[in-house]
C-alpha cells in the first residue's frame, strides 16, 4: 500500500487529530477561563499530599488525587508556569480521549466510524462542560483515560500485545490516583464489557489484578474523608435537562431551574437514534456484520441507558441503598461515564449505514458534529495572573480564595492601604461585610488603631452577587493620621482582614495557605 492509500485508510485518525482542535482551542486563548473550580488546578499542581487540599476539603474518593497533576508537575519543575502546565493537561485530556476512542473502535467499526466516534466524544457537551464550565482537571483526565483503557484491553484481546495491556494497566492505576470514585465506575464498565462482550478470561484476570493493586495503593489514605458540603440527592437531573440548551458558567443548584449544562447534545441524540434504526433494520442480515457486533451494540445501549438513568431522581433509592453516593460529589457526574457508550452509539451510524462512508457524506457528518458543538465552545475568561499559591481560604466550605493582599503604609499621607483580589468557589449564602483593622500590640495588650467595615467594592458587589470562579478586586484604606501624629512607629502595626456577618458579628473562619493557621481573621503586616 502506498503512502497516499495509507493516508486515505487513516482519514478517521486524522479527523480526530486535526478537527479535534476545535475542542481544545479555547484552552489556548489569552487568560484563564472562569471555571467553577477557579484557579484550584493551578494552585494544587505543587501539592505534595495524596489528595489536593488547597481550596477544597481533602477526600480520597471525591477529591482530586495526586495523579491529577501528574502531567503538569514535570512542566512546572522544568520552569514552565503552572497555568500553562494546567492548560496543556486539559489539551492532552481531549486528545487522549479522542484517540483512545478511535483506537478502541477501529478494529470493530473501521476507520471512519471510529474517527466519527472519537470526534463526537471530544466535542460532547459533557466533556466540554467538564473543562470550560467546571474547570475540573481530575474529571477531564478520567474522561481521557477511560477510552484509553478500553483501547488497551481491546487490542490485548485481539493481538495479545504486551504493550496494549501495559497501557491499559498503567492507565487504570493512574486513574485510581486521580479520582477513585469515578475510577470504580470505569473499572466496573471495563470488567462487564470484557465479561459479557469479549468473554476473554485472561483480560478479565488482568483487570481484576489491576483493580486489587489500585485499591491496595490507596489503603494508606483510606481515612482521608471529608463530609460533602453538597446534598447529593438534591442534584439529580430532570429528564428534560438532558435535551436542554442552557449553557452558562453556573454551579449546580437544587431544582428543575438548575442552569448547569446537563444536555448530551444534538449529535448524540440524532446520530444515536439513526444508529439504532439502522441496527434494527439490519437485525435480519447479521452476516453483513462481524461476529459479536450485536452483542457489542447491546452492551453499549444497555450501559448508556443505565448510566443515564443513574443521573435521574428515580435512581435515588439505589444510590442510597448501595451507599455509592459517597463516591461522587454530584449524581450527574455519572454522565461523564455514560458519554463514552453514547459517543460509540452515535459514531456507529457510519458503520451501520455504509453509504455514509462516501467521502462527501462522511465529511458532512463531521461538519454537523463541529457545527452542533459550536454553542458549547464559548466560556468566560479572566486576565488575572495569580501567584503560585493563594494567600488564604475563607469559610468552612472553602467558599472564598484570597488571591492577593498587600498592605502599603504611606507616612506622608498617613494611610494604610490594602489591595486585595478574591475568587468565590461556592455561592455565598449571605452578604458579608469586609472588615479591615490596624492593630497595635503594646506590652501584650492589643488596641484597635483604625478600622473600617463595608460592603465589597463600594457596596456594588455584595457577596451573594459573586459569580463562582469570578475574580474581584478592591482597595481599602485606613486613616492613620492620629497614630502618626502621636509620634509612634507604624511599622509595629499589624492588620486584620476578613469577612463577617453584620447581623450577629460572626466571622468567616480563614486558613492561611502557607502556615496552615486557622483563625477568624487574616493577619497581615505593612511595608
Amino acid at each position: 500500500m502506498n503512502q497516499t492509500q495509507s493516508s486515505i485508510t487513516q482519514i478517521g485518525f486524522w479527523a480526530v487529530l486535526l478537527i479535534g482542535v476545535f475542542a481544545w482551542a479555547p484552552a489556548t486563548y489569552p487568560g484563564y477561563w472562569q471555571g467553577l473550580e477557579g484557579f484550584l488546578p493551578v494552585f494544587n499542581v505543587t501539592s505534595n499530599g495524596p489528595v489536593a487540599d488547597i481550596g477544597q476539603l481533602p477526600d480520597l474518593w471525591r477529591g482530586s488525587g495526586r495523579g491529577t497533576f501528574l502531567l503538569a508537575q514535570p512542566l512546572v519543575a522544568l520552569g514552565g508556569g503552572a497555568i500553562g502546565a494546567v492548560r496543556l493537561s486539559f489539551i492532552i485530556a481531549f486528545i487522549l480521549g479522542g484517540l483512545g476512542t478511535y483506537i478502541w473502535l477501529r478494529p470493530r467499526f473501521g476507520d471512519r466510524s471510529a474517527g466519527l466516534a472519537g470526534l463526537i466524544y471530544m466535542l460532547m457537551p459533557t466533556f466540554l462542560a467538564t473543562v470550560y464550565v467546571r474547570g475540573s482537571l481530575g474529571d477531564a483526565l478520567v474522561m481521557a483515560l477511560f477510552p484509553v483503557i478500553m483501547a488497551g484491553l481491546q487490542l490485548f484481546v485481539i493481538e495479545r500485545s504486551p504493550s496494549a495491556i501495559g497501557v491499559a494497566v498503567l492507565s487504570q492505576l493512574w486513574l485510581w490516583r486521580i479520582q477513585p470514585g469515578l475510577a470504580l465506575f470505569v473499572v466496573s464498565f471495563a470488567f462487564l464489557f470484557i465479561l459479557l462482550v469479549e468473554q476473554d478470561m485472561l483480560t478479565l484476570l488482568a483487570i481484576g489484578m489491576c483493580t486489587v493493586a489500585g485499591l491496595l495503593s490507596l489503603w494508606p489514605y483510606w481515612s482521608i474523608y471529608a463530609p460533602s458540603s453538597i446534598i447529593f440527592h438534591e442534584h439529580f437531573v430532570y429528564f428534560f435537562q438532558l435535551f436542554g440548551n442552557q449553557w452558562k458558567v453556573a454551579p449546580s443548584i437544587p431544582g428543575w431551574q438548575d442552569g448547569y449544562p446537563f444536555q448530551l447534545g444534538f449529535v448524540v441524540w440524532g446520530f444515536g437514534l439513526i444508529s439504532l434504526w439502522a441496527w434494527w433494520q439490519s437485525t435480519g442480515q447479521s452476516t453483513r456484520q462481524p461476529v459479536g457486533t450485536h452483542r457489542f451494540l447491546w452492551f453499549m445501549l444497555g450501559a448508556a441507558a443505565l448510566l443515564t438513568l443513574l443521573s435521574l431522581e428515580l435512581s435515588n433509592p439505589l444510590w442510597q441503598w448501595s451507599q455509592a453516593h459517597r463516591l461522587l460529589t454530584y449524581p450527574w457526574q455519572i454522565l461523564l461515564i455514560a458519554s463514552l457508550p453514547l459517543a460509540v452509539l452515535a459514531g456507529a451510524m457510519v458503520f451501520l449505514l455504509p453509504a455514509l462512508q462516501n467521502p462527501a457524506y462522511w465529511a458532512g457528518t463531521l461538519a454537523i458534529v463541529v457545527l452542533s458543538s459550536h454553542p458549547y465552545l464559548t466560556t468566560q475568561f479572566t486576565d488575572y495572573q495569580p501567584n503560585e499559591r493563594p494567600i488564604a481560604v475563607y469559610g468552612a466550605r472553602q467558599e472564598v480564595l484570597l488571591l492577593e493582599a498587600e498592605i502599603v503604609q504611606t507616612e506622608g499621607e498617613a494611610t494604610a492601604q490594602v489591595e486585595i483580589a478574591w475568587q468565590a468557589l461556592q455561592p455565598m449564602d449571605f452578604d458579608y461585610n469586609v472588615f479591615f483593622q490596624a492593630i497595635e500590640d503594646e506590652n501584650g495588650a492589643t488596641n484597635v488603631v483604625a478600622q473600617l467595615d463595608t460592603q465589597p467594592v463600594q457596596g456594588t458587589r455584595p457577596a451573594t452577587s459573586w459569580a463562582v470562579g469570578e475574580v474581584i478586586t478592591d482597595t481599602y484604606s485606613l486613616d492613620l493620621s492620629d497614630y502618626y501624629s502621636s509620634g509612634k512607629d507604624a511599622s509595629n502595626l499589624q492588620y486584620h482582614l476578613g469577612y463577617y456577618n453584620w447581623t450577629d458579628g460572626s466571622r468567616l473562619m480563614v486558613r492561611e495557605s502557607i502556615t496552615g493557621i486557622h483563625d477568624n481573621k487574616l493577619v497581615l503586616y505593612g511595608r
Side-chain angles (χ1 to χ4, degrees), residues 346-389:
M349 178 182 70
V350 171
F351 168 75
L352 294 166
L353 295 173
L356 294 178
Q357 296 187 28
N358 176 282
Y361 294 153
W362 186 71
T365 62
L366 297 184
I368 292 173
V369 173
V370 173
L371 291 174
S372 65
S373 70
H374 182 264
Y376 311 127
L377 291 170
T378 57
T379 188
Q380 302 176 49
F381 286 82
T382 174
D383 347 357
Y384 184 82
Q385 295 293 314
N387 297 315
E388 184 178 335
R389 295 170 74 90

Side-chain angles (χ1 to χ4, degrees), residues 231-285:
I231 300 176
F232 185 88
H233 69 265
E234 291 183 348
H235 293 268
F236 283 102
V237 178
Y238 287 79
F239 183 68
F240 76 89
Q241 292 175 321
L242 299 174
F243 305 86
N245 57 5
Q246 297 185 62
W247 189 263
K248 60 181 180 179
V249 180
S252 179
I253 60 172
W256 61 266
Q257 72 278 19
D258 192 351
Y260 185 83
F262 302 112
Q263 63 266 36
L264 299 175
F266 165 78
V267 166
V268 165
W269 292 115
F271 287 11
L273 289 174
I274 293 173
S275 292
L276 293 179
W277 173 82
W279 177 28
W280 177 71
Q281 290 291 314
S282 69
T283 51
Q285 306 172 36

Side-chain angles (χ1 to χ4, degrees), residues 32 46 66 72 102 113 120 136 138 173 189 199 236 337 443 454 526:
Y32 190 80
T46 55
R66 185 182 296 169
Y102 170 83
S113 190
I120 290 172
S136 175
L173 292 175
F189 181 100
Q199 301 176 353
F236 283 102
I337 310 301
N443 301 322
T454 181

Side-chain angles (χ1 to χ4, degrees), residues 402-418:
L402 186 65
L403 304 174
E404 179 183 338
E406 184 176 10
I407 303 286
V408 177
Q409 296 173 163
T410 308
E411 185 172 355
E413 298 177 3
T415 61
Q417 181 174 281
V418 62

Side-chain angles (χ1 to χ4, degrees), residues 312-325:
L312 304 178
E313 190 168 9
L314 58 87
S315 67
N316 187 32
L318 180 60
W319 285 100
Q320 298 297 331
W321 170 78
S322 66
Q323 298 296 299
H325 65 282

Side-chain angles (χ1 to χ4, degrees), residues 61 139 142 179-187 327-328 333 336-337:
W61 295 95
D139 283 10
V142 170
Q179 194 178 98
L182 281 173
L184 195 58
F185 288 99
V186 169
V187 171
L327 300 174
L328 305 177
Q333 281 179 281
L336 306 185
I337 310 301

